Amino acid sequence: MRFKVDNLDLELVQGDIVSQTDLEAIVNAANAQLKIGGGVAGAIHRAAGPELEKECEPLAPIQVGEAVITGGHELPNDYVVHTLGPVYGVDKPEAELLKKSYRNSLEIADEKEIESIGFPAISTGAFGYPIKNAAEVSLKTIKNNVEKLNNLNLIRFVLYSNSDFEVYKEKAEKIYE
Ligand code: AR6
């Protein structure tokens, strides 16, 4: 599923963030210490190999909403952007912090002249952010920041479950059409 936002393509797919072979960068829903962890972070570190954690070490800890960038190591992608989303019900205001995670991830990638990037649904797993609210915040943040981007021309949401994909699809149709 694809939407045109100015000169940028926004795609929604159901799949695994570590299998996006055509993207220059993928985003990690990281922990503050930038260690392996579970969910997306576990999958990314396992696929990238131990050199990723070594590269991350001097960059940690990161704050909620912050984003840092590393190489992709054994991943098919050149770069990984690591961002720490808010823990729902703990890090407040949640929506502002989630927006910050997306905005900072987009900015750091764009500054590196990256043209294509894939996002998981940050904070919606272990961090408990309700998927409907997270979909709305993330899709609107992208819409509101597109004009500031000089290099990115493809942003892909990679949703793990079919139900998350359906939620994103419904929200994106409202926000982008
Ligand atoms: N590809 C795409 N999406 C995935 C994948 C995958 N391989 N695996 C899970 N998801 P989470 P968070 C979905 O928990 O909520 C970690 O332990 C998942 O279904 O990875 O930001 C870190 O170490 C959910 O919708 O990230 C942190 O401590 C979404 O990705 C903490 O979890 C995010 O789930 C971060 O929690």
Side-chain angles (χ1 to χ4, degrees):
M1 167 139 251
R2 181 181 285 230
F3 300 85
K4 200 87 192 155
V5 197
D6 295 338
N7 290 326
L8 183 139
D9 286 319
L10 178 83
E11 287 182 359
L12 308 180
V13 302
Q14 187 192 346
D16 191 324
I17 195 77
V18 300
S19 308
Q20 307 302 310
T21 53
D22 58 330
L23 297 179
E24 227 179 314
I26 57 171
V27 178
N28 182 13
N31 50 68
Q33 298 304 326
L34 303 176
K35 298 271 188 205
I36 285 196
V40 168
I44 287 180
H45 277 276
R46 278 194 302 275
E51 291 300 317
L52 178 60
E53 221 179 40
K54 281 191 199 147
E55 190 186 351
C56 282
E57 211 178 288
L59 304 174
I62 61 168
Q63 306 296 312
V64 182
E66 193 180 343
V68 294
I69 190 162
T70 66
H73 300 272
E74 291 171 38
L75 282 162
N77 321 95
D78 294 335
Y79 298 98
V80 179
V81 172
H82 308 258
T83 188
L84 177 62
V87 177
Y88 197 76
V90 176
D91 298 315
K92 294 181 182 214
E94 289 100 340
E96 282 310 309
L97 292 168
L98 190 61
K99 261 188 223 169
K100 221 171 145 185
S101 269
Y102 280 97
R103 218 172 39 225
N104 285 333
S105 298
L106 291 170
E107 270 176 21
I108 204 168
D110 199 59
E111 277 165 16
K112 276 266 185 203
E113 302 187 352
I114 289 168
E115 294 185 2
S116 56
I117 192 165
F119 282 92
I122 296 164
S123 284
T124 66
F127 285 177
Y129 210 117
I131 188 77
K132 282 188 184 159
N133 304 4
E136 180 150 353
V137 169
S138 55
L139 290 164
K140 281 188 176 163
T141 303
I142 284 168
K143 189 174 185 193
N144 295 336
N145 285 277
V146 162
E147 63 180 26
K148 295 180 204 145
L149 303 172
N150 298 312
N151 297 298
L152 278 169
N153 56 45
L154 171 61
I155 298 176
R156 179 180 299 156
F157 276 98
V158 183
L159 291 324
Y160 209 39
S161 69
N162 187 52
S163 60
D164 288 356
F165 172 78
E166 290 297 330
V167 169
Y168 261 78
K169 191 176 141 205
E170 197 178 304
K171 290 279 179 201
E173 279 165 353
K174 285 199 187 116
I175 293 168
Y176 288 99
E177 286 183 354

